[in-house]
Amino acid sequence: MPINEGMANLSHYAFVATVVAYALAVLAFACDFAFGRDALGPLRPAQQPAADLVAVGAPPASPGAGTPPPGPAPGPPPPGPGPAVTPAGAGAGREAGRLGLWVRVAIGLTALGLAAHILGVISRGLAVHRVPWGDMYEFVTTVTCVAVIFFFVLMIRYRAYRLGLFVLGPVVILLGLAETVIYTPAGQLPPALQSYWLAIHVTSITLATGAFVVAALLAVVYLLADRHDRRAAAGQPTRSGAIFRILPAPKVIDQLAYRTVVFGFPLWTFGIIAGAIWADEAWGRYWGWDPTETWAFITWVVYAGYLHARATAGWRGRKSAWIQLIGFGCLLFNTIVVSILIKGLHSYAGLS
Amino acid sequence: MSRPPRCPRRHPRHAAIGPDARRVAAAALVTSAALALTACAGGAIAQSTPASNGQSFVSGASGTTIFGSRDAPPAPAVTGTTLAGARLSLSAFHGHVVVLNFWGSWCTPCRAEAPALASLAAAFSHAGVDFLGVDIRDTPASAEAFQRDFKITYPSLNDPGGLIALDFRSTVPPAGIPTTLVISRRGQIVARVIGEASYPGLRGLISKTLAQPS
Amino acid sequence: MTGVRTPAATGQPAQREPQPGGPRRTGGTPAAPFGVLGWARWVWRQLTSMRTALVLLFLLAVASVPGSVLPQEGIDPQAVQQYYVAHPSLAPLLARLSLFSVFAAPWFAAIYLLLFASLAGCVIPRTFRLAGSARQQPPRAPANLSRLPLTARYETALAPDEALAAAAALLAGKRFRLRTGDGWVAAEKGYLREAGNLLFHLALLGVLVAVCVGGMFGYKANRLLVVGDSFANTATDLDAFHPGRAVSATDLQPFTITLGKFEASYVTSGALRGQPSRFDALIRYSAQPGAPMHGYQLRVNHPLAVDGVRVFLIGHGYAPVFRVTDGTGRVVFDGPVPFIAVEQAGLTSEGVIKVPDAHPQQLGFAGVFLPTAVDVGGKLGSAFPAPLNPAVSLVSYAGNLGMDSGPAQSVYQLDTSGLRQLPIRPRPLAPGQSMKLPDGDGTLTFTGYRQWISLAITYDPGTLPALIAGMTALAGLLLSFFVRRRRMFVRAAAAPGGRTVVELGGLARSDAAGGFESEFATLSGEISSAHQARAPAVLEQGPGPGPSGPPAADDPTEGE
């Protein structure tokens, strides 16, 4: 089937609009830091009485209960974060709806950008009559879309608005690179990629990568916030203290990151299995230590190490965050260096 | 209530008496266990991983295998077309000793053994020994040029599709090229030579087979 | 956790080790000297500990890195040779360390064998223990519930027995496993988590086993097939045969394949011009001699399955057809010669023709085939991969090809050490054109071209078991992630004033993500509602020491 040029153009313009909207949203988030009023309450949960933890967590369905909590119910147990998150949002509950102007503008721009982003992905798919993740350009645009969707859900659900700057910033850079340096015009796939396994394997890898991107960004924020907290506790002077005062607590960020990895890890596992099944159908062997396969395995091992570390006393916190970042580094190496520079069977899936 | 035992976890405290020497010895023990495992099993498994040899045909592990009269399998019924175009079958040679040689004009060890085969064929021509070739993956022009060059007078079956080798799959398959099979008067495959056949070696095999009762 | 009692610590004589039977909880160095058996046991304990398994797993990942960055023999031998040329002093050293065949190296095998042993030694006994304790009861409720991470406490007018019965009924309704005692109820839920965890690790073992089975009982083979030719799956007819350790030539499935037609189409316009869009190989095959022939359209991602073996279309190329007449006037060569592509954009292909039976001298030719020959500033190239304007250009040699003795040669390489180049300039030949060699050495005619496909034949009995093991591992992983093991305790005691004090305690055994707090709160609320429904009372909740409080040292914190 011939390429639908109209759809291809629409996709291209939609992605440009996405970059613009996200860039403006980043500006709005930054302005919120600089000029916004602290609508989410100045106190951090570490300074709140611990009683809030249980009080907030009591369900609204007990009419005779003592002090009914003001905040929203945390939601169904798994994977609800429990009351630990809501102290940051407890303030929001107390002043629900009174978000700062800049934050509202930023969220609106993010939503607009996300809509354009999704439009771009879908129209690209319609242009090429297949799932729109068949080459490096399509992969990057789709992964960033997935990452922003994840983050949007996290942000709204757990009211982690202030993390927007740290997630959208890299996304803007990635998308900008995608549109300029690695842009590939809409086209057919080579015969080796013409298989329904493309939809299965690359979709799960894309979703997992999106989740891992968000988790890695959260880990970076966690490490910075944790360092700030430790320095503040030790009485040392800290820079950019204002930002960390209004971000969620490091522990909260860490838990968010963990949950995101828990979401992404089975997807990554499934992606590897689906890739193995596809490799078996295409090349006759389900595992041949192709460089991309090898680095996907290495990434898997490091994230598995992160999960074990998180469950081991003494390795929680900073050490496991670093392990997670090493895992993300392996993922980046796999996506960028191995696909482009190292010759292997996956090479044709990269740049043409 | 009895506690369910579990895998030993990392224990942060170490025994008060646990000299470093013991730890070093322990580490050495584990390392040598690993090396021992390597030597025995690791290499064995490692060998099964394929590695390209850069050539484009299977040479096979060279060597001679001799089958005793009890386990020598009967040669299959082989029929084909010679390079000259005539139909020929192995059964036509029943009662004679047959030397069946799989070859190709493009194959260096086949060319190296061709003079030996030609002179053995001439030497045993009136002794009830017949030579028959099977030409693999060749074109008639190259095969005929080869036979002219090495003065091969015995016939060869043209087998571009590999069907004749397939006939031998359950008995004594030619496991590489060249392969030479020696078939007794009773029609049993008594020897297989993989790789270049030497004049004295093949001559000895033929003589021994001739000496067997028919 | 009890460590090994040392004489210095307790003043007792050093304990005799090893103790027969019974679990020991030691991770450190044994205190007293003991014999070979004791050392062996200690080594085994170290090997099967989770820390060792994780170290080995990381080691496996780290060991894979050179295998992905350096060229590997099994994947691209030409790249290895180029590496030798580029790094002449470093390359032999790397080869000695097996760094050009990492995944076949003994040290790599040692790592995954040790990992296999470690995993098996830990997971299999734990599986047996899980099976044995499938009906295990929750632990007793601790005497002091307020030391648990999550607690609640209130008073109710119900009698203690009634309160406990109501709580037990509610928890049983939520599928908690119950155990009752004098004045307390203990409930536990989420046993599937351990099952899922073990299932995942067992399945990983299964994957390793499947890989070993495939490696031992399977084989891989390759064959290049020109259009019009056929081949049989025998050792003499294959280009390469890599059997597993338990496979021999008699085990090859006896199918035959004939290549009737091959069609390749390429993108003709736009930015992706020249990229292949379709490959179709029309083949006929039969599972064994005498069986009927079937047709099949072989494409990438659509292998042929015959007799348990699968045949894959891996590559394709051109095989120009030549006829060579030697000095005596006889036709000494007439057939297709497969040329191998050296670049993908225009499929410029290189190849050699060897004519060993030419007289008076052996002849050899080396050159290129250009599907769409164009002259770019004096240099020949191919502008498009389809054969729109085919041409060959060859360099001619005569002399000794080196084929009459010595080691076997590759049919794609010409050994020019015994040859001299003939004084005839290579010029592009169109189909039908000839090249007359000087000194009466003969004539070469480029009569036409055919196409060829390369096939990969694989037989791997471990594929399906590996897939099943992989999916099982995923299922176990999901179970262990999303099922949490948690305990609820209820104590009801009579208090002065005719009322009953009800204490609730909760503990999550494996809750790194948090989340049990809300479930505990929900359950507490429901239990207290149930009590209230029968006897309204003042509700008074109290906080526990916080989720980061130290776990209680007695029974409830056990038995993960």
Side-chain angles (χ1 to χ4, degrees):
Chain A
M1 258 198 279
I3 306 297
N4 187 332
E5 293 294 337
M7 278 288 163
N9 282 331
L10 173 64
S11 160
H12 186 54
Y13 293 137
F15 282 132
V16 172
T18 307
V19 175
V20 170
Y22 285 159
L24 289 174
V26 166
L27 270 178
F29 277 119
C31 287
D32 175 59
F33 274 128
F35 314 121
R37 105 186 118 88
D38 273 340
L40 295 180
L43 292 183
R44 288 267 302 285
Q47 300 160 15
Q48 283 179 340
D52 269 359
L53 289 170
V54 177
V56 170
S62 51
T67 24
V85 185
T86 44
R94 280 193 285 275
E95 310 174 31
R98 286 187 56 202
L99 296 173
L101 172 69
W102 288 112
V103 173
R104 274 185 282 158
V105 166
I107 295 176
L109 284 169
T110 307
L112 259 180
L114 187 57
H117 205 161
I118 296 176
L119 176 66
V121 170
I122 293 180
S123 55
R124 176 90 175 187
L126 289 174
V128 294
H129 310 289
R130 56 171 170 78
V131 284
W133 36 87
D135 54 52
M136 184 66 105
Y137 165 77
E138 292 174 358
F139 181 70
V140 172
T141 51
T142 310
V143 164
T144 45
C145 186
V146 166
V148 175
I149 292 177
F150 273 146
F151 174 68
F152 205 75
V153 167
L154 279 182
M155 188 173 68
I156 299 297
R157 188 174 184 157
Y158 304 126
R159 298 176 179 267
Y161 303 110
R162 260 57 192 276
L163 295 171
L165 177 66
F166 303 96
V167 175
L168 282 184
V171 166
V172 167
I173 295 174
L174 269 176
L175 270 182
L177 278 174
E179 285 296 318
T180 52
V181 174
I182 56 177
Y183 178 71
T184 313
Q188 241 189 355
L189 287 176
L193 294 182
Q194 291 170 10
S195 164
Y196 57 85
W197 282 106
L198 183 77
I200 302 172
H201 164 63
V202 183
T203 304
S204 47
I205 292 289
T206 305
L207 287 173
T209 304
F212 286 150
V213 163
V214 173
L217 292 169
L218 290 176
V220 170
V221 175
Y222 164 76
L223 286 171
L224 291 172
D226 184 71
R227 188 178 73 151
H228 167 266
D229 266 13
R230 277 183 294 119
R231 283 187 156 180
Q236 291 168 347
T238 57
R239 280 180 302 173
S240 54
I243 296 181
F244 296 110
R245 253 185 286 124
I246 54 181
L247 281 180
K251 193 163 166 190
V252 170
I253 304 176
D254 183 51
Q255 279 201 347
L256 275 181
Y258 177 74
R259 279 162 193 276
T260 316
V261 172
V262 163
F263 182 80
F265 188 72
L267 277 173
W268 187 259
T269 310
F270 178 69
I272 292 182
I273 296 176
I277 301 174
W278 189 11
D280 184 61
E281 233 184 59
W283 306 320
R285 88 290 179 282
Y286 55 87
W287 193 265
W289 295 108
D290 179 64
T292 306
E293 292 173 343
T294 306
W295 278 93
F297 167 69
I298 295 172
T299 307
W300 185 88
V301 163
V302 180
Y303 274 104
Y306 165 75
L307 293 169
H308 277 92
R310 228 11 197 64
T312 306
W315 280 78
R316 290 195 192 118
R318 283 203 326 279
K319 282 190 202 166
S320 50
W322 277 110
I323 296 180
Q324 194 216 105
L325 287 177
I326 293 175
F328 188 66
C330 295
L331 197 158
L332 281 181
F333 187 84
N334 197 9
T335 311
I336 300 173
V337 178
V338 174
S339 300
I340 299 177
L341 291 178
I342 298 182
K343 189 179 142 190
L345 289 167
H346 266 83
S347 301
Y348 52 64
L351 303 178
S352 50
Chain B
M1 143 182 122
S2 68
R3 298 178 224 163
R6 62 225 280 197
C7 288
R9 294 269 175 98
R10 185 170 61 135
H11 190 20
R13 275 197 301 266
H14 307 300
I17 294 184
D20 286 330
R22 214 166 256 136
R23 297 181 133 247
V24 169
L29 206 68
V30 177
T31 314
S32 47
L35 287 171
L37 265 176
T38 302
C40 300
I45 292 185
Q47 271 173 36
S48 68
T49 308
S52 166
N53 62 0
Q55 301 173 345
S56 70
F57 57 91
V58 180
S59 311
S62 59
T64 305
T65 318
I66 299 176
F67 302 94
S69 52
R70 234 178 291 266
D71 34 49
V78 167
T79 314
T81 311
T82 64
L83 290 166
R87 294 288 296 171
L88 187 60
S89 87
L90 198 57
S91 56
F93 302 101
H94 194 75
H96 284 200
V97 170
V98 180
V99 178
L100 191 65
N101 174 254
F102 292 83
W103 64 276
S105 69
W106 43 269
C107 149
T108 301
C110 312
R111 303 180 67 83
E113 69 176 7
L117 288 169
S119 49
L120 281 171
F124 283 97
S125 59
H126 300 297
V129 179
D130 291 307
F131 279 64
L132 179 64
V134 180
D135 181 31
I136 306 263
R137 298 180 72 172
D138 230 341
T139 54
S142 315
E144 280 161 22
F146 175 92
Q147 290 184 317
R148 271 199 309 267
D149 225 1
F150 289 97
K151 303 182 184 35
I152 305 277
T153 51
Y154 56 82
S156 280
L157 298 174
N158 187 23
D159 187 29
L163 295 170
I164 295 176
L166 209 52
D167 287 335
F168 284 86
R169 68 184 177 278
S170 45
T171 54
V172 183
I177 184 159
T179 295
T180 308
L181 301 175
V182 181
I183 301 171
S184 70
R185 282 194 271 249
R186 277 188 265 181
Q188 288 175 308
I189 307 173
V190 295
R192 174 179 67 179
V193 181
I194 300 179
E196 183 188 334
S198 68
Y199 184 94
L202 192 53
R203 186 200 165 95
L205 285 174
I206 298 173
S207 309
K208 227 166 37 149
T209 314
L210 269 176
Q212 285 176 359
S214 58
Chain C
M1 189 147 79
T2 57
V4 176
R5 295 271 155 83
T6 70
T10 64
Q12 294 168 354
Q15 278 193 337
R16 189 68 92 150
E17 317 221 16
Q19 290 170 347
R24 285 181 339 110
R25 320 268 233 84
T26 170
T29 316
F34 49 29
V36 175
L37 194 61
W39 271 111
R41 260 186 110 123
W42 181 84
V43 166
W44 179 251
R45 297 252 167 215
Q46 293 302 303
L47 182 65
T48 55
S49 73
M50 188 174 81
R51 177 181 54 168
T52 310
L54 282 177
V55 165
L56 284 169
L57 189 62
F58 268 108
L59 214 54
L60 193 68
V62 166
S64 316
V65 172
S68 67
V69 190
L70 291 171
Q72 297 293 296
E73 280 282 345
I75 296 177
D76 193 358
Q78 277 193 325
V80 178
Q81 288 171 356
Q82 285 166 0
Y83 197 88
Y84 266 86
V85 170
H87 306 88
S89 44
L90 184 61
L93 179 65
L94 296 178
R96 203 104 49 86
L97 296 170
S98 304
L99 285 175
F100 292 120
S101 51
V102 165
F103 305 108
W107 47 265
F108 192 80
I111 297 175
Y112 65 71
L113 284 174
L114 281 176
L115 181 61
F116 186 105
S118 173
L119 206 55
C122 179
V123 169
I124 293 179
R126 256 172 98 155
T127 310
F128 281 121
R129 282 195 288 258
L130 179 75
S133 69
R135 288 281 101 215
Q136 187 189 25
Q137 290 218 303
R140 309 165 63 87
N144 190 354
L145 286 186
S146 59
R147 288 167 62 198
L148 291 174
L150 297 167
T151 60
R153 181 197 170 95
Y154 55 90
E155 290 187 354
T156 176
L158 288 176
D161 294 340
E162 286 178 40
L164 286 175
L170 190 111
L171 290 169
K174 293 197 179 292
R175 288 175 310 167
F176 274 79
R177 195 179 292 179
L178 292 178
R179 177 178 180 181
T180 53
D182 183 23
W184 53 265
V185 168
E188 192 168 13
K189 193 176 173 188
Y191 292 91
L192 270 184
R193 188 186 181 276
E194 170 75 354
N197 188 19
L198 286 176
L199 189 68
F200 170 72
H201 289 89
L202 272 178
L204 285 186
L205 270 181
V207 169
L208 280 172
V209 169
V211 168
C212 278
V213 163
M216 291 206 64
F217 297 98
Y219 66 85
K220 297 187 197 327
N222 290 98
R223 169 68 198 231
L224 186 149
L225 195 59
V226 179
V227 169
D229 287 351
S230 59
F231 85 99
N233 190 29
T234 61
T236 46
D237 230 18
L238 292 167
D239 290 343
F241 177 50
H242 306 292
R245 287 197 62 77
V247 174
S248 70
T250 46
D251 301 321
L252 288 170
Q253 287 81 351
F255 60 85
T256 54
I257 295 180
T258 307
L259 179 59
K261 207 152 75 127
F262 177 72
E263 284 159 357
S265 45
Y266 307 90
V267 178
T268 50
S269 62
L272 296 171
R273 185 173 178 273
Q275 180 181 282
S277 63
R278 260 186 64 212
F279 296 134
D280 273 318
L282 297 168
I283 61 173
R284 296 188 62 74
Y285 70 96
S286 85
Q288 48 196 354
M293 299 278 282
H294 300 281
Y296 187 76
Q297 188 186 28
L298 187 64
R299 289 177 288 154
V300 185
N301 286 311
H302 295 87
L304 168 71
V306 52
D307 203 6
V309 184
R310 284 179 309 154
V311 181
F312 296 82
L313 177 62
I314 298 293
H316 73 109
Y318 291 98
V321 184
F322 300 98
R323 184 171 63 238
V324 178
T325 315
D326 71 356
T328 64
R330 281 200 278 247
V331 174
V332 287
F333 187 95
D334 189 4
V337 178
F339 275 38
I340 311 289
V342 292
E343 52 91 15
Q344 294 303 311
L347 282 187
T348 308
S349 311
E350 286 180 355
V352 308
I353 306 142
K354 300 187 200 183
V355 191
D357 293 306
H359 284 282
Q361 297 191 83
Q362 292 186 334
L363 297 171
F365 305 88
V368 292
F369 171 84
L370 305 157
T372 306
V374 290
D375 194 312
V376 183
K379 243 177 92 88
L380 274 180
S382 176
F384 195 72
L388 304 175
N389 184 22
V392 296
S393 176
L394 302 169
V395 176
S396 316
Y397 300 86
N400 184 356
L401 290 167
M403 286 176 66
D404 292 337
S405 61
Q409 287 185 357
S410 163
V411 298
Y412 299 113
Q413 284 171 355
L414 193 63
D415 181 7
T416 54
S417 53
L419 298 168
R420 65 179 171 85
Q421 189 172 338
L422 294 177
I424 169 170
R425 221 152 41 98
R427 60 181 174 82
L429 299 169
Q433 290 186 332
S434 311
M435 188 165 69
K436 193 158 159 31
L437 303 172
D439 304 329
D441 276 326
T443 316
L444 174 139
T445 311
F446 170 40
T447 55
Y449 66 90
R450 302 218 286 245
Q451 299 203 61
W452 57 260
I453 58 173
S454 70
L455 301 169
I457 299 144
T458 61
Y459 173 65
D460 190 343
T463 307
L464 189 61
L467 175 65
I468 295 174
M471 298 308 286
T472 309
L474 191 60
L477 187 70
L478 289 170
L479 261 183
S480 76
F481 271 167
F482 297 118
V483 174
R484 283 195 310 274
R485 178 97 161 256
R486 54 250 196 238
R487 294 174 177 147
M488 284 279 293
F489 304 103
V490 184
R491 272 192 179 276
R499 307 185 65 76
T500 303
V501 171
V502 176
E503 273 182 284
L504 300 168
L507 176 71
R509 277 307 303 146
S510 51
D511 198 10
F516 181 53
E517 291 92 348
S518 57
E519 192 184 358
F520 177 79
T522 313
L523 287 171
S524 314
E526 289 181 9
I527 293 177
S528 67
S529 313
H531 288 168
Q532 266 187 295
R534 305 202 188 179
V538 172
L539 183 74
E540 178 198 359
Q541 287 191 341
S548 56
D554 51 55
D555 285 359
T557 66
E558 287 244 327
E560 150 84 79

